[in-house]
Amino acid sequence: MPELPEVETVRTGLTPWVVGRRLHTVEVRHPRAIRRHVPGATHFADVLAGRTITDVRRRGKYLWLPLDSGDAIIGHLGMSGQLLIQPGEAPDETHLRVRFGFDDDGPELRFIDQRTFGGLSVSSGGAELPSEIAHIARDPLDPLFDDREFAARLRRRRTEIKRALLDQSLISGVGNIYADEALWRAKLHGARPTDALTGPAVARLLGHVRDVLSAAIKEGGTSFDALYVNVNGESGYFDRALNVYGQEGLPCARCGTAVRRESFMNRSSFSCPRCQPRPR
């Protein structure tokens, strides 16, 4: 599932193409793509027609597009969602779910989603911050992210550090891939108890989380298949820089020990047995 770097790549890619443009037509091709918009497809299209997109913003793994009406389009990519900028004459994609046309007859915005786990909806009055995603914490790249508050809440959690990093109500945007990479850099095993971490250890971990996310953004995110692409249909390249995620059996880049894979919440965690020993 796309994490912060992938969603941020889409956000920055969309901005120059959609901000300041007025929607003319909205075509919902599959009802599941707007299932979170309870009033349905006709209302979704009607409430957006004639509205101008004023910005493209992100909270964690969610995007929202504020409108001149004070409402906002909320988008979540799910596991295979794509927001592409395409010429109007381009052939329809096999899994095209929603098409947005603009009154300047310029390139369209298309939402493609093979597995239909992602979706779009309209948030009434949600231009500043949609209420539907207000519960999601700020991400560590947000200028208003409070390091001290995060450290205090983290140490009160009494859980494992990797579980805490994936808790979007505590810190947003970090998923399985970037949690493993940050923990490797910090030399911490994901099962380390949060209440045992010192303040300096939390600060170091946060620094590594920020470094990993920033590096991934520079590479356009991580693409393991064709399901994640930017607005131009291009893949990200951070998979070439992964140190532990998906590297089972390969030598650790720091010490040479074979990277291990462990089961974690119906997923996999990757770490170095020597650099990241399990807590006793």
Side-chain angles (χ1 to χ4, degrees):
M1 182 175 292
E3 301 178 29
L4 185 155
E6 292 75 44
V7 180
E8 178 64 11
T9 298
V10 172
R11 187 196 71 79
T12 57
L14 283 178
T15 299
W17 286 103
V18 302
V19 172
R21 299 178 70 195
R22 187 167 63 183
L23 292 163
H24 178 57
T25 58
V26 178
E27 178 188 2
V28 177
R29 305 274 299 248
H30 197 298
R32 184 168 166 79
I34 54 102
R35 64 191 179 280
R36 296 182 182 89
H37 188 79
V38 179
T42 300
H43 182 271
F44 181 85
D46 289 347
V47 79
L48 293 179
R51 304 272 50 112
T52 297
I53 297 173
T54 61
D55 202 358
V56 184
R57 301 178 185 175
R58 178 183 56 76
R59 175 61 68 95
K61 304 173 188 178
Y62 281 85
L63 289 169
W64 84 92
L65 284 63
L67 305 169
D68 61 348
S69 61
D71 298 337
I73 305 170
I74 304 175
H76 192 280
L77 300 179
M79 296 193 69
S80 59
Q82 302 171 356
L83 285 166
L84 302 184
I85 300 296
Q86 294 280 47
E89 64 274 15
D92 289 352
E93 293 79 4
T94 301
H95 303 291
L96 174 62
R97 307 307 186 192
V98 183
R99 184 201 318 273
F100 299 90
F102 297 89
D103 67 357
D104 58 8
D105 294 325
E108 300 175 342
L109 173 61
R110 299 181 181 182
F111 180 62
I112 294 95
D113 193 0
Q114 177 178 328
R115 299 179 181 176
T116 63
F117 291 151
L120 305 173
S121 61
V122 176
S123 175
S124 178
E128 282 304 312
L129 176 62
S131 59
E132 295 88 342
I133 59 175
H135 65 285
I136 298 173
R138 295 184 184 275
D139 68 70
L141 300 185
D142 189 318
L144 297 180
F145 185 89
D146 190 324
D147 289 24
R148 289 186 178 182
E149 180 184 359
F150 168 76
R153 293 181 63 199
L154 176 73
R155 295 170 70 185
R156 290 197 300 267
R157 273 294 201 273
R158 297 185 181 278
T159 186
E160 298 176 355
I161 183 58
K162 183 171 179 180
R163 289 178 181 271
L165 288 177
L166 300 183
D167 183 348
Q168 302 298 296
S169 68
L170 178 66
I171 181 173
S172 69
V174 183
N176 205 37
I177 297 173
Y178 300 114
D180 279 358
E181 290 297 303
L183 289 166
W184 178 82
R185 294 189 183 202
K187 298 183 179 180
L188 292 172
H189 190 279
R192 180 75 65 90
T194 55
D195 58 354
L197 293 174
T198 64
V202 174
R204 286 194 298 272
L205 175 59
L206 260 181
H208 289 304
V209 170
R210 289 186 171 113
D211 289 345
V212 168
L213 295 177
S214 297
I217 290 171
K218 289 181 181 178
E219 297 296 330
T222 302
S223 297
F224 290 114
D225 52 35
L227 295 184
Y228 163 68
V229 293
N230 66 18
V231 299
N232 299 313
E234 300 165 337
S235 298
Y237 295 101
F238 192 67
D239 59 301
R240 301 175 183 178
L242 294 173
N243 288 296
V244 286
Y245 187 85
Q247 309 300 305
E248 181 184 11
L250 298 178
C252 167
R254 191 163 44 216
C255 73
T257 303
V259 171
R260 68 184 160 198
R261 180 180 66 84
E262 299 173 284
S263 295
F264 174 79
M265 296 173 61
N266 296 319
R267 288 174 279 185
S268 295
S269 278
F270 298 88
S271 60
C272 172
R274 183 174 180 181
C275 298
Q276 301 167 269
R278 288 189 61 87
R280 295 180 179 178

